Amino acid sequence: MAKAKIKFRASSVGMKEGTLYYQVIHNRVARQIHTTYRLYPSEWDAVSSSIVLPSSSTSGRYSYLLSLQETLEADRKKLLLVIARLDKEAQPYTSDKVVEYFREGKVLHGIIGYTVELNDKLRKIGKRRMADRFTTTINSLRNYLKGNDVPLEDVDGTMVLGYEQWLKERGLCRNTTSFYIRNLRTIYNHAVEEKLVVSSSPFKHVYTGIDKTVKRALPLDIIKQLKDLDLSLNPRMDFARDMFLFSFYTRGMSFIDMAQLTPSNLQGGMLTYRRQKTSQQLHIKWVEPMQKIVAKYQTDDSPYLLPIATGEGALFWKRYKNAYKRITNQLKKIGEMMGLSIPLTTYVARHSWASAAKSKNVAISTISEGLGHDSEKTTRIYLSSLDTSVVDRANNLIINSL
């Protein structure tokens, strides 16, 4: 196996800047890859082959050296991936071939590096939530790999099983573990579609299903108690409660869809919006409780119906995430204050609306349409984790008749 090192060549003129270069050694033959990276002798530690950063971040060289340090680390990983690819081909190669592949960018893609590139593409086409899910997954995988990357071709059944076991050992439930594995599978399939790797079906023996979740719905009497709470002395709790109620009033509208509503979505007494998750267009009759909440928080300087986040592009998303965390935290406190048996979250509003509709004997097809599901099958799966009191009562009648 070839080895790659970073070396420093001092200037022949006194204490002037020297240059860095990479040395590739294979079968005792050494080759060099020259760079334009320049350093003073005092900025290089030959023992650890690393840059010596100034003790103070205010130093004029600090930013340059920090950036160069990141560049060297990226190049180092690139060289290691080149060597990994050549080793995997199981054919004789030379140090010249390593240099050639490095210069031409013929690198075996790493799963983490590939995901970073994929996320950039997803964000450019507006799929930020998918990119966020992939980022969460790849950060977890990076921890499992102890900060390293592995070639896509090394993502096999053994590695995936090891990652799944690592997740379980951290006390994650099956659904959370499955969430990470499913995202990793989607990333891998993207790479297969781009012909960056030949699929070896590495996800055959890991769990990628979704267990039935515990009940996350509140009965209508609890929703009414929540609505009647006097939170006037705590504006943050008051706002969080109102956002929960707005979601409930609008048939469980997701928080991101609420954040992006503008006056243009409200026309002729009808609220029309497109779900970000599915792109399905939904129409909701505008009623007084919705208007009260909007009027309560209406501001002249915001283009949005609700003051959840402002701005556009990356700024909007940053503010949205911060708002989501704040509201989630306040809802949790409200739930604890009310003594609820389940954590109060924005998603509970969606479950509660579906459960309330079911308790009122609303047809599954109508509930499905209200939730914006693609099929009644999805709605039946969704409802299966909600209120089972009707079935329980039926079972009691049967047992009591014996």
Side-chain angles (χ1 to χ4, degrees):
M1 180 177 178
K3 294 183 179 180
K5 299 179 180 179
I6 305 173
K7 289 186 169 286
F8 175 72
R9 180 180 289 113
S11 171
S12 59
V13 182
M15 297 300 291
K16 286 196 173 182
E17 290 177 309
T19 57
L20 292 171
Y21 66 95
Y22 300 107
Q23 183 184 68
V24 178
I25 304 174
H26 186 52
N27 292 334
R28 298 184 180 179
V29 177
R31 292 291 183 266
Q32 295 180 5
I33 302 174
H34 299 286
T35 77
T36 58
Y37 311 145
R38 304 185 70 82
L39 291 172
Y40 290 107
S42 61
E43 295 171 334
W44 182 251
D45 183 344
V47 176
S48 61
S49 296
S50 61
I51 291 174
V52 178
L53 292 173
S55 56
S56 172
S57 60
T58 59
S59 168
R61 297 277 290 177
Y62 188 87
S63 296
Y64 166 73
L65 293 174
L66 187 62
S67 176
L68 181 55
Q69 186 180 61
E70 293 173 354
T71 300
L72 292 179
E73 178 61 16
D75 282 351
R76 184 188 70 83
K77 289 181 178 179
K78 185 177 175 182
L79 271 168
L80 291 177
L81 288 173
V82 166
I83 293 169
R85 172 178 178 174
L86 290 168
D87 284 335
K88 199 168 185 68
E89 289 176 353
Q91 297 291 330
Y93 66 91
T94 65
S95 49
D96 288 311
K97 182 63 71 174
V98 176
V99 173
E100 176 191 339
Y101 273 35
F102 177 80
R103 285 175 173 164
E104 294 182 4
K106 293 182 179 179
V107 181
L108 187 66
H109 285 77
I111 181 66
I112 292 175
Y114 170 72
T115 307
V116 171
E117 294 177 5
L118 176 62
N119 282 345
D120 286 341
K121 295 176 185 176
L122 290 172
R123 290 190 177 95
K124 285 177 182 176
I125 60 175
K127 295 190 175 182
R128 290 180 174 273
R129 295 187 77 185
M130 180 181 289
D132 288 345
R133 290 200 305 272
F134 289 171
T135 297
T136 299
T137 299
I138 220 64
N139 285 341
S140 166
L141 183 65
R142 185 182 280 113
N143 288 334
Y144 168 64
L145 297 173
K146 298 180 179 178
N148 296 315
D149 202 350
V150 296
L152 282 166
E153 293 181 12
D154 285 351
V155 180
D156 55 16
T158 302
M159 194 214 92
V160 175
L161 277 169
Y163 177 48
E164 182 187 48
Q165 183 60 34
W166 180 83
L167 291 169
K168 290 177 180 177
E169 289 171 356
R170 269 139 191 80
L172 301 181
C173 69
R174 286 229 305 173
N175 279 350
T176 303
T177 298
S178 177
F179 166 80
Y180 286 116
I181 298 295
R182 291 198 313 274
N183 283 333
L184 184 60
R185 182 179 61 184
T186 303
I187 293 167
Y188 182 83
N189 287 340
H190 274 288
V192 171
E193 288 175 7
E194 293 183 38
K195 301 189 184 322
L196 297 175
V197 65
V198 177
S199 177
S200 58
S201 303
F203 300 90
K204 235 189 311 190
H205 303 296
V206 291
Y207 181 70
T208 56
I210 302 176
D211 285 348
K212 184 184 291 187
T213 56
V214 296
K215 178 181 174 183
R216 286 195 286 179
L218 297 176
L220 284 173
D221 61 327
I222 299 298
I223 297 291
K224 188 176 186 305
Q225 288 180 32
L226 176 64
K227 174 178 174 289
D228 293 339
L229 279 179
D230 183 1
L231 299 173
S232 56
L233 296 179
N234 193 322
R236 288 191 174 187
M237 277 191 179
D238 194 26
F239 179 67
R241 184 267 309 274
D242 287 344
M243 294 305 99
F244 179 95
L245 290 175
F246 188 89
S247 174
F248 181 81
Y249 296 153
T250 54
R251 307 192 313 233
M253 185 186 296
S254 73
F255 193 58
I256 182 58
D257 291 331
M258 286 168 51
Q260 296 183 101
L261 290 175
T262 67
S264 63
N265 292 111
L266 184 56
Q267 301 290 336
M270 191 69 66
L271 182 66
T272 302
Y273 75 100
R274 194 172 294 279
R275 284 191 74 196
Q276 176 154 316
K277 184 176 180 179
T278 63
S279 294
Q280 183 179 357
Q281 191 173 64
L282 298 178
H283 307 276
I284 301 173
K285 183 180 179 181
W286 193 250
V287 294
E288 185 181 359
M290 303 174 195
Q291 179 58 37
K292 280 185 177 180
I293 291 176
V294 169
K296 181 176 178 179
Y297 297 102
Q298 190 170 13
T299 57
D300 295 331
D301 58 348
S302 174
Y304 299 104
L305 274 181
L306 298 168
I308 295 172
T310 57
E312 298 179 355
L315 179 61
F316 170 85
W317 280 93
K318 181 179 179 180
R319 290 175 175 172
Y320 161 74
K321 289 177 183 177
N322 290 336
Y324 182 80
K325 288 178 183 177
R326 287 195 302 270
I327 289 176
T328 299
N329 185 48
Q330 294 302 318
L331 286 176
K332 181 181 178 182
K333 290 179 180 179
I334 294 172
E336 292 171 351
M337 182 176 69
M338 295 178 67
L340 300 181
S341 59
I342 59 173
L344 188 61
T345 68
T346 55
Y347 203 62
V348 169
R350 184 170 175 82
H351 275 258
S352 299
W353 183 86
S355 182
K358 181 184 177 185
S359 70
K360 298 294 183 182
N361 297 317
V362 176
I364 295 292
S365 59
T366 303
I367 297 175
S368 180
E369 183 178 346
L371 292 171
H373 284 162
D374 295 328
S375 68
E376 288 186 29
K377 180 180 178 182
T378 303
T379 308
R380 290 181 187 280
I381 295 172
Y382 191 88
L383 289 171
S384 68
S385 65
L386 301 179
D387 189 5
T388 59
S389 59
V390 175
V391 179
D392 291 337
R393 285 196 296 271
N395 190 41
N396 284 335
L397 286 173
I398 294 169
I399 293 173
N400 291 336
S401 67
L402 294 176

